[in-house]
Amino acid sequence: MGGTVTAVRPMRVGLALLRGVFLALFAGFIFGPLIVLALWSVAQQWFWPNLLPTSFTTRWFEWAITVPNVLRSLQNSLFVATLVTIATSIIAVPAAIAIGRYEFRGRTVVRWLFSVPLLVPYISLGIGIASVFYAARLTGTYAAVVLAHMIAALPFGVLIVTSAVEELVPEVDEAALACGAAPTAVFWKIILPQLVPALLAQAGYVFMLSMDEFTLTLLVASPETATLPVQMYGAMGEGYLQVSSALAILLLLPSLLLSAVLARFLRTDLHVTG
Amino acid sequence: MPQGHPSRRYVASPNLFWLALALSPGLLIVVGLVAYPLGLAVSNSLGLARGQTATIAHYLAFLSDPRSYWALLNTFALAFATTAGAIILSIPLGYLARASRRFATPVRLLVTLPLAVPVLIAAYALTLFFAENGLFNSILVRVLHLLSEPLTISYSWPGLVIACIWRFFPYTGLLVISALGTLDRNLEDAAASTGANPLQVFRRVTLPLIAPAALTGGILTFVSTFGTFSIPLIMGRSTEVLSVMAYRKVTGGFDWQSASTIVVIMAVFQIATLVGLRGAMNRWVVR
């Protein structure tokens, strides 16, 4: 009896140790790259033999908000993301209500059409619109950037709101109609208020998607209309390690924050992009 | 795609005018900025843009260029290696998460985190982390003294796979972890108590039970890696994949026809993969 107990215990301890080591290694793998990025963004000096930077500075963040072309890309990003969020909401919400609520001929086809951008590789969409914009002499304009982002955002906008509309109980507004409420009053006072969480989630998701979008923007923007990710890519190409790290952190922090908030609203399969 | 609530009742279509008004702006974008450009890419790739008759010359040119079939091979190899890596990484994580409540939350958080990181930033962060003079190598060489020379990971083929795993394995990981957490452990216990060793229990009982989740997640990881542009753009200095090749055709001389040919080939392969795997899975799950 006692023999089995002492035989089992080292195995238990060994297994617990193995689990702990595996979790630590995995955490290192996931956090390591992000920690390095954060360190580079505040590093004054960081040379090979040193494990960590030898001196720190916030200069790179000051650069990021004062150097003219970087500042402009930040302004471009915010401007484009705001327009994209507004335009996508205006387009996606009525479409989602139509798809999520009403029975009509071709409903399945329409639903499927809205998810086409998710079925083909992202670069195929990019080369496709880039060649159309190039032929139409739209390349480099804000319109091109906004439209490109809307292609990427629309499927998600429609999906998020449609699933919320499908959760609504039609009996509620049928009751209101039966009690004599006007259809417009039903829409504004009953349907829309129930959709507010989904609309906010949709707007947040689309805003974040637009801020982070890189591939399509790289193909359709000019240096004047470049957004922050494109600017960051440029800084990386020129070897400005610290500046591109600072820009990456500036992009990453809002993304992480918003993701944490949205995680409560969204399913994980909505994240497939890039 | 979700097909709505199973017991969902759709209201009969009201005024068609309002319905058309609600749907047309969105459809206009999808048709005008997605379907039309893709169609144009197909016709460009077939040489129809200049009013000529259809030709497969661009496809033949693509296939006769060693550089392009290397890129095709690289793209597939990268997607398969990443998917395999994602499944192999997900299984021990699933065991860890179900071993105790203490592990479940940190594992889930760690697996979800890469999804919130923009792909371009992930690519850059991994390049810095695995650089020859990066933190990973300093820990191995200077702190742990496991190696005398730093490893070349960033910009190499393994580095590309590691970066793709980092960013795209969560699609597989989340599904495998939840499948392992919810499967009926009595089945495993029954197998073990009737004399199966742990490896047999895993191969004969656990693996078949989590395989549908692993494959569904694997498809998402595969498709994301197959189409990825930012990671090979940053990490793949010596390894060219189709997406980067198409981009370079445009930036190096506005060769829209070659770029169109490449992205059409990619789209066809991706759709074929999705349809084929879905069909295989349906047959397999039914059986």
Side-chain angles (χ1 to χ4, degrees):
Chain A
M1 189 75 191
T4 51
V5 170
T6 46
V8 162
R9 196 162 284 158
M11 233 183 92
R12 279 260 166 91
V13 172
L15 194 64
L17 199 69
L18 192 71
R19 282 175 179 153
V21 168
F22 180 68
L23 184 64
L25 286 178
F26 180 64
F29 175 57
I30 296 298
F31 279 125
L34 301 177
I35 291 171
V36 170
L37 195 67
L39 286 175
W40 268 120
S41 73
V42 291
Q44 174 97 312
Q45 281 190 309
W46 192 3
F47 297 117
W48 161 240
N50 298 306
L51 188 64
L52 297 172
T54 39
S55 57
F56 294 93
T57 175
T58 55
R59 186 153 44 127
W60 316 116
F61 286 97
E62 284 159 30
W63 271 37
I65 51 170
T66 50
V67 171
N69 56 349
V70 182
L71 182 62
R72 188 180 52 202
S73 71
L74 182 62
Q75 290 165 338
N76 283 344
S77 274
L78 293 170
F79 173 66
V80 167
T82 308
L83 277 185
V84 169
T85 307
I86 294 170
T88 304
S89 302
I90 291 173
I91 292 174
V93 171
I97 292 177
I99 297 170
R101 169 153 279 241
Y102 297 107
E103 190 57 68
F104 55 92
R105 273 169 90 84
R107 198 175 145 275
T108 320
V109 176
V110 168
R111 201 185 175 114
W112 180 81
L113 270 175
F114 277 116
S115 52
V116 165
L118 303 178
L119 296 178
V120 293
Y122 207 56
I123 189 77
S124 305
L125 295 178
I127 297 287
I129 51 153
S131 78
V132 168
F133 288 165
Y134 184 72
R137 295 176 188 283
L138 272 173
T139 306
T141 61
Y142 283 108
V145 179
V146 170
L147 286 173
H149 287 198
M150 284 179 68
I151 297 168
L154 197 60
F156 297 105
V158 172
L159 263 174
I160 293 166
V161 185
T162 303
S163 46
V165 172
E166 286 180 330
E167 295 294 314
L168 297 183
V169 186
E171 281 78 5
V172 174
D173 43 86
E174 277 166 12
L177 282 174
C179 295
T184 47
V186 172
F187 178 77
W188 288 108
K189 298 210 163 141
I190 294 173
I191 297 179
L192 215 54
Q194 294 182 80
L195 291 178
V196 165
L199 296 185
L200 289 177
Q202 184 265 150
Y205 189 83
V206 167
F207 190 85
M208 186 175 86
L209 189 144
S210 174
M211 287 295 287
D212 294 343
E213 211 296 319
F214 167 66
T215 309
L216 304 181
T217 320
L218 184 68
L219 281 160
V220 303
S222 68
E224 284 71 39
T225 52
T227 56
L228 205 52
V230 174
Q231 187 72 39
M232 184 198 139
Y233 174 64
M236 280 156 58
E238 288 157 26
Y240 295 122
L241 242 165
Q242 289 98 328
V243 177
S244 38
S245 298
L247 291 178
I249 293 292
L250 278 183
L251 270 175
L252 184 59
L253 288 181
S255 277
L256 291 180
L257 215 72
L258 212 54
S259 293
V261 176
L262 292 182
R264 307 203 332 194
F265 294 100
L266 299 179
R267 304 187 314 268
T268 48
D269 59 327
L270 286 176
H271 282 285
V272 189
T273 42
Chain B
M1 289 303 113
Q3 287 305 317
H5 206 265
S7 63
R8 167 88 199 131
R9 183 166 64 82
Y10 292 98
V11 178
S13 150
N15 194 328
L16 265 180
F17 169 76
W18 288 109
L19 211 58
L21 195 68
L23 289 168
S24 51
L27 287 178
L28 200 68
I29 288 195
V30 171
V31 172
L33 294 175
V34 179
Y36 169 69
L38 289 176
L40 200 69
V42 173
S43 86
N44 262 338
S45 71
L46 291 170
L48 289 170
R50 294 177 192 146
Q52 295 153 336
T53 48
T55 167
I56 55 165
H58 291 292
Y59 290 93
L60 293 178
F62 174 83
L63 288 174
S64 61
D65 180 4
R67 200 180 134 204
S68 42
Y69 52 71
W70 271 111
L72 185 67
L73 199 69
N74 279 337
T75 309
F76 270 102
L78 178 63
F80 275 114
T82 304
T83 309
I87 292 173
I88 292 168
L89 176 62
S90 299
I91 290 170
L93 285 173
Y95 275 106
L96 189 64
R98 78 173 191 181
S100 107
R101 205 171 275 275
R102 221 158 17 115
F103 291 127
T105 313
V107 167
R108 192 165 278 277
L109 279 176
L110 284 170
V111 173
T112 321
L113 182 64
L115 290 176
V117 179
V119 182
L120 177 74
I121 293 176
Y124 191 51
L126 275 125
T127 309
L128 294 178
F129 182 61
F130 286 112
E132 270 182 39
N133 54 2
L135 187 62
F136 180 75
N137 272 318
S138 352
I139 289 173
L140 285 188
V141 177
R142 316 287 311 186
V143 181
L144 301 176
H145 298 287
L146 288 173
L147 297 170
S148 54
E149 289 294 313
L151 295 168
T152 304
I153 300 174
S154 289
Y155 306 115
S156 72
W157 171 248
L160 195 54
V161 178
I162 290 171
C164 287
I165 289 177
W166 192 91
R167 182 57 183 75
F168 300 129
F169 97 94
Y171 306 125
T172 306
L174 289 173
L175 288 181
V176 168
I177 289 168
S178 91
L180 264 173
T182 53
L183 70 79
D184 186 357
R185 310 239 328 233
N186 289 329
L187 295 171
E188 292 172 317
D189 293 344
S193 67
T194 49
N197 66 38
L199 196 67
Q200 284 171 326
V201 173
F202 175 72
R203 267 189 44 212
R204 300 285 178 80
V205 181
T206 316
L207 196 57
L209 285 171
I210 62 165
L215 282 179
T216 309
I219 292 173
L220 283 174
T221 300
F222 185 91
V223 165
S224 308
T225 312
F226 184 81
T228 185
F229 169 72
S230 315
I231 294 179
L233 183 72
I234 308 294
M235 252 295 185
R237 194 169 281 173
S238 54
T239 318
E240 192 168 56
V241 296
L242 290 177
S243 56
V244 175
M245 192 178 170
Y247 171 71
R248 298 222 192 282
K249 293 281 182 198
V250 173
T251 51
F254 296 101
D255 185 357
W256 295 105
Q257 292 196 333
S258 302
S260 299
T261 309
I262 295 168
V263 296
V264 169
I265 288 173
M266 286 184 75
V268 168
F269 271 119
Q270 172 157 328
I271 292 168
T273 308
L274 283 173
V275 171
L277 283 177
R278 177 168 282 199
M281 278 217 22
N282 284 348
R283 240 177 300 133
W284 188 64
V285 168
V286 167
R287 197 187 58 167

